[in-house]
Amino acid sequence: MPALQETRTVVALAPAKPAGLADLGLPLVDSTAVKKGRVHEYLQLLTDGKIGRRFQDIRIIALKTVEAGVPSAKVFVQFEVFGDNTAAPTNGVGFEAVLFAGEQQLASLSSSSLFLPYANFWYPNRFVFEVSIADFDQADRLDFIAKAEEVRTL
């Protein structure tokens, strides 16, 4: 059975303005802080070297705010994914996102599946993870790791 290789891309995080985040419902207060990063295109290859899956517009938005008097930090991972002539298994393996401060790993965040019901079509995906305030403050990059998994080819 064909299989996708585990592949990784690095998304640099930089302080940003809280503009364009209305669809996330971000509570804006004086202490709200935002970090953003983006990768435009990212390919996941099959073990034979052919393209098996495409990721587009990977956007990482890290937010620190206060809601109802409680401080919190969240990381949103958003992207579109395309099964390039490959059908995902019913129980896919998803992806892992690892926050770093320089070379120091801060947190590992993972999803067990992608929203990719059919091959040859682009699907938007959005995930949110709670992180510690300290991890938010230190984070300067996120490694997005598309995990290896068996797929069916069309």
Side-chain angles (χ1 to χ4, degrees), residues 24-135:
L24 300 181
L26 171 65
L28 291 174
V29 296
D30 290 339
S31 62
T32 297
V34 178
K35 294 181 183 183
K36 294 181 182 178
R38 184 178 189 173
V39 170
H40 293 286
E41 187 175 46
Y42 169 62
L43 303 176
Q44 187 176 17
L45 302 178
L46 293 164
T47 53
D48 67 5
K50 294 179 184 172
I51 297 171
R53 191 171 285 163
R54 297 173 191 264
F55 293 85
Q56 173 178 284
D57 198 22
I58 298 173
R59 290 178 293 150
I60 308 302
I61 304 167
L63 307 170
K64 179 174 74 170
T65 193
V66 176
E67 184 177 38
V70 177
S72 70
K74 297 182 188 311
V75 174
F76 287 80
V77 178
Q78 302 176 117
F79 53 85
E80 291 185 13
V81 63
F82 182 85
D84 209 78
N85 292 320
T86 62
T90 306
N91 296 318
V93 296
F95 69 92
E96 185 174 1
V98 183
L99 275 179
F100 283 90
E103 294 303 312
Q104 178 188 0
Q105 182 176 326
L106 301 172
S108 180
L109 318 166
S110 65
S111 169
S112 61
S113 65
L114 302 176
F115 181 70
L116 185 60
Y118 297 104
N120 293 316
F121 194 83
W122 286 102
Y123 291 98
N125 278 252
R126 179 186 281 179
F127 302 86
V128 62
F129 304 96
E130 189 86 23
V131 297
S132 73
I133 300 291
D135 287 349

